[in-house]
Amino acid sequence: MSDFLTQFGEDLKKNVPGFIAVSVAEIASGMSYYSHSAIADFDPELASAYNLEVVKAKMNAIKALNLNGQVIDNVMITLSSQIHIIDVSDNQDYFIYLAVDSTKANLGMTKSILNKYKKEIAGKL
């Protein structure tokens, strides 16, 4: 597991323009399995804890609306100078939280890298 997550983190830092921080967390427990920040005072584990509530709220909304068979792919939150992406694994057990600088981000490249890893997360964790 640690080799997979280490490779994942290195790939993001190297290939995501404007990379700020990343965390991989389990939805059921909120436990963070990996986190890294390029900015000393940006805590990706804390950010994941708060964004877990976003994921759970959306899952509850899907259930309440009887949207049977619908699952969360991702949630993107655009701030004035950052983009925060919450990418949920295919089995809905884990999520990747990624923050990038909106002035440097290439969303196509970023989503491509996230999609590559989110398909593997469920099997590796």
Side-chain angles (χ1 to χ4, degrees):
M1 168 176 67
S2 64
D3 289 343
F4 168 73
L5 291 174
T6 300
Q7 177 61 44
F8 166 69
E10 291 302 316
D11 200 6
L12 287 177
K13 288 186 283 184
K14 179 180 171 187
N15 295 309
V16 172
F19 173 85
I20 295 173
V22 66
S23 179
V24 176
E26 184 179 48
I27 292 171
S29 68
M31 181 177 165
S32 179
Y33 288 94
Y34 175 83
S35 66
H36 177 76
S37 179
I39 300 173
D41 62 347
F42 192 107
D43 184 349
E45 288 187 28
L46 180 60
S48 279
Y50 280 105
N51 283 291
L52 173 61
E53 298 306 316
V54 173
V55 172
K56 286 183 175 181
K58 192 60 192 174
M59 287 178 159
N60 288 336
I62 289 169
K63 185 177 178 181
L65 294 169
N66 293 317
L67 298 175
N68 302 324
Q70 298 295 312
V71 295
I72 300 170
D73 182 37
N74 65 63
V75 177
M76 187 166 60
I77 301 166
T78 306
L79 304 176
S80 58
S81 65
Q82 297 177 359
I83 299 171
H84 294 203
I85 301 168
I86 305 164
D87 215 351
V88 179
S89 66
D90 291 344
N91 67 356
Q92 304 286 285
D93 288 340
Y94 305 95
F95 71 94
I96 301 166
Y97 165 77
L98 175 68
V100 295
D101 181 323
S102 62
T103 64
K104 299 174 183 172
N106 177 326
L107 288 179
M109 181 186 303
T110 301
K111 298 245 338 127
S112 176
I113 294 168
L114 287 175
N115 283 334
K116 171 186 168 187
Y117 284 100
K118 88 174 192 176
K119 291 180 186 314
E120 298 179 38
I121 281 179
K124 303 275 186 180
L125 297 181

